Amino acid sequence: MDDSSGVGNQILARNGAWSFGDKTPETFVDHIRQSVPLYEDGHQLVCELSSFFCHNSSTCYEIGVSTGELLRKLALHNAAKPKINWVGLDVEDSMVRKARDHCDDVPNIQILREDARDYEFEKADLIVSYYTMQFIPPRHRQALFDKIYESLNWGGAFICFEKTRGPDARFQDILSSLYTDFKLRNGFNCDEIIAKSRSLKGVLEPFSTQGNIDLMRRAGFEDLMTIQKYICFEGFLAIK
């Protein structure tokens, strides 16, 4: 029996089985813009920050490139440095195809079907994870943070945006309620909100702000700060 339900933007998902594959890439950009506060502002901020770290000989990565929106913006923002090697990694075939089509006209972008947990990174000046780590199983997350730290050149940056949990139950209740109100204002109906929440069970595992900071510090990052925060969505900048 198919228990798929609509989660908005013509995307169907089953209980505990959210997927970035199948037909999700076709409307993913519209869906995520409606779902994540300050989504486009975060892209702009990442692009502006990249200017401080990316040089004309740099290799720079995005982990979880999805449709290639952010990676393309980064390459165009740094168009005066055409020798930067921009590399996007994703595990979903359909996302990789979509990203390759979207970035086809930018010659210094590569989109690879690779799992960052297994991929051998070159030394990099910038690594970006834009709402991706939250989908990495917690048992593998620290090892990936460690790998990112080791892969960066000294002075290189890791920019990580994540959905975050509240520091205790009361704050989590407040955050959950405010986020539901946000989604209602953005056009999702109650059934879609519930269906999306059910589909993400065991798939999306956010950590608290402190939990993410602890991951970065254990990996070796000492210099880090929050660069954007709204309700339960937060961006971090960590410099090696």
Side-chain angles (χ1 to χ4, degrees):
M1 180 179 177
D2 186 0
D3 64 348
S4 298
S5 300
V7 300
N9 308 98
Q10 292 82 54
I11 296 173
L12 297 176
R14 299 175 63 190
N15 181 34
W18 167 265
S19 171
F20 290 99
D22 196 26
K23 296 182 179 180
T24 299
E26 295 175 14
T27 56
F28 179 73
V29 173
D30 291 336
H31 181 75
I32 206 71
R33 281 173 179 155
Q34 282 182 260
S35 300
V36 176
L38 303 177
Y39 183 76
E40 298 282 1
D41 300 85
H43 277 193
Q44 183 62 34
L45 180 56
V46 173
C47 289
E48 290 173 2
L49 286 167
S50 71
S51 300
F52 293 91
F53 303 100
C54 300
H55 313 287
N56 207 22
S57 58
S58 294
T59 295
C60 304
Y61 292 94
E62 185 185 4
I63 298 171
V65 72
S66 66
T67 62
E69 284 285 312
L70 177 54
L71 195 66
R72 190 174 193 277
K73 289 176 184 177
L74 279 163
L76 295 178
H77 179 82
N78 291 278
K81 305 168 188 175
K83 293 184 181 179
I84 296 175
N85 183 27
W86 298 99
V87 183
L89 309 177
D90 209 286
V91 297
E92 289 289 349
D93 284 327
S94 52
M95 282 293 188
V96 168
R97 289 194 298 271
K98 188 79 170 178
R100 285 174 177 167
D101 287 343
H102 187 59
C103 299
D104 185 57
D105 61 334
V106 185
N108 57 331
I109 289 179
Q110 298 180 68
I111 308 294
L112 305 178
R113 188 189 180 284
E114 294 281 357
D115 189 326
R117 293 172 292 178
D118 304 319
Y119 181 73
E120 293 298 322
F121 289 84
E122 296 180 21
K123 279 295 185 179
D125 289 314
L126 177 68
I127 299 176
V128 177
S129 171
Y130 201 73
Y131 298 111
T132 296
M133 290 296 174
Q134 61 205 33
F135 294 101
I136 301 293
R139 65 185 181 275
H140 297 152
R141 215 169 291 185
Q142 186 64 63
L144 182 51
F145 273 72
D146 295 349
K147 189 175 193 177
I148 288 166
Y149 181 82
E150 291 301 322
S151 300
L152 285 169
N153 291 316
W154 189 259
F158 175 44
I159 301 175
C160 182
F161 277 63
E162 287 284 280
K163 186 178 182 182
T164 55
R165 286 194 166 110
D168 63 27
R170 183 180 184 188
F171 282 109
Q172 182 59 35
D173 285 348
I174 292 170
L175 294 176
S176 296
S177 180
L178 289 172
Y179 184 42
T180 296
D181 290 342
F182 169 85
K183 296 190 84 171
L184 289 168
R185 287 196 307 272
N186 273 22
F188 292 105
N189 62 46
C190 294
D191 288 342
E192 290 169 338
I193 293 170
I194 292 170
K196 180 68 176 290
S197 179
R198 292 180 73 243
S199 75
L200 290 171
K201 289 188 293 188
V203 179
L204 170 63
E205 291 285 352
F207 286 3
S208 65
T209 296
Q210 190 59 51
N212 282 289
I213 290 172
D214 290 345
L215 284 167
M216 287 184 270
R217 291 208 184 281
R218 284 193 295 267
F221 291 105
E222 296 182 6
D223 301 320
L224 60 97
M225 68 175 182
T226 292
I227 50 175
Q228 180 177 290
K229 185 170 178 65
Y230 183 82
I231 317 179
C232 48
F233 294 84
E234 188 163 4
F236 303 91
L237 169 64
I239 301 174
K240 181 172 180 178

